[in-house]
Amino acid sequence: MEINRMESYTGILNILKPPGMTSHDVIAFVRRTLQLKKAGHTGTLDPGVAGVLPVCLGRATKIIEYLPDTIKGYRAEVTFGRTTDTQDGFGRTEAVHDASQLTREQAVHAICRLKGEHLQVPPMVSAVKYQGKKLYEIARKGLEIERKARPISIFEINPIGFSGFGSPNPRVLFDIVCSRGTYVRTICHDIGQELGFGGHMSFLIRTQSGNFK
């Protein structure tokens, strides 16, 4: 009787996915815990990233394709003075610079001016497909291919925390609301390149997916 009651669950769980789990791992956990046959997420979140992952249960899985998923929100940190091949803190170091001369005002200006429409080249560690293969699969073979820039929108971007200014590796924590398909790691990389000190994404959590926060 308990199993039958659980099978009747219909709705949406707004899950905070921990780092280290794939989106598929979350679905498997939900199905096992609630003893449900039907459960599905509304949009993949990278295994290493924590954040909002809406999961539809039971009959609600039929509405996944109709849920708005065009807006994403993140809290991220950019660390200046080091660039990596993955544009985050886990990649191989490509260049190191002393960013102790960077001021908070310069960093704020570079970050805030990104609000609006842009063209962005997706990173090699992304799931964007090239000739049927995902870019990160190609990158694992040590290859890099030319990628086409894609339009993105940054609706809001606001610095909220500063640390390490005056040292070789200052950091800025910021909130960003952007269009689906925007790579925050690339934003961090590009900010560092523009300022001339290099930079990488040192922290990321997804705070919003569509209407779910």
Side-chain angles (χ1 to χ4, degrees), residues 7 69 106 116 136:
E7 285 288 6
D69 191 34
Q106 289 173 322
Y136 68 77

Side-chain angles (χ1 to χ4, degrees), residues 31 48 56 65-66 74-75 77 109 111-112 117-118 136 138 160 168 172 184 194 203-204 208:
R31 286 174 176 167
C56 295
E65 61 182 302
Y66 303 109
Y74 300 91
R75 176 161 291 181
E77 182 185 70
H109 178 72
I111 292 171
C112 290
E117 309 293 321
H118 302 276
Y136 68 77
I138 299 174
I160 60 171
V172 179
V184 180
E194 179 182 343
F203 171 79
L204 182 70
Q208 178 180 357

Side-chain angles (χ1 to χ4, degrees), residues 51-84:
V52 170
L53 183 70
V55 173
C56 295
L57 309 176
R59 294 191 301 275
T61 55
K62 296 180 180 180
I63 68 170
I64 289 178
E65 61 182 302
Y66 303 109
L67 291 174
D69 191 34
T70 55
I71 296 178
K72 305 290 185 181
Y74 300 91
R75 176 161 291 181
E77 182 185 70
V78 54
T79 295
F80 298 102
R82 173 178 171 238
T83 59
T84 73

Side-chain angles (χ1 to χ4, degrees), residues 150-207:
R150 307 188 306 173
I152 64 168
S153 299
I154 299 178
F155 307 113
E156 298 289 342
I157 184 165
N158 300 299
I160 60 171
F162 306 86
S163 60
F165 278 81
S167 75
N169 300 110
R171 302 186 299 274
V172 179
L173 190 70
F174 63 93
D175 287 336
I176 179 172
V177 179
C178 52
S179 59
R180 180 180 182 179
T182 300
Y183 288 92
V184 180
R185 67 178 65 217
T186 300
I187 290 174
C188 293
H189 172 84
D190 291 348
I191 292 170
Q193 294 299 101
E194 179 182 343
L195 290 169
F197 297 103
H200 67 274
M201 184 183 73
S202 46
F203 171 79
L204 182 70
I205 185 169
R206 188 162 77 182
T207 56

Side-chain angles (χ1 to χ4, degrees), residues 93-109:
T93 298
E94 292 185 325
V96 175
H97 301 279
D98 183 350
S100 58
Q101 299 303 310
L102 178 65
T103 67
R104 284 178 50 162
E105 292 73 20
Q106 289 173 322
V108 168
H109 178 72

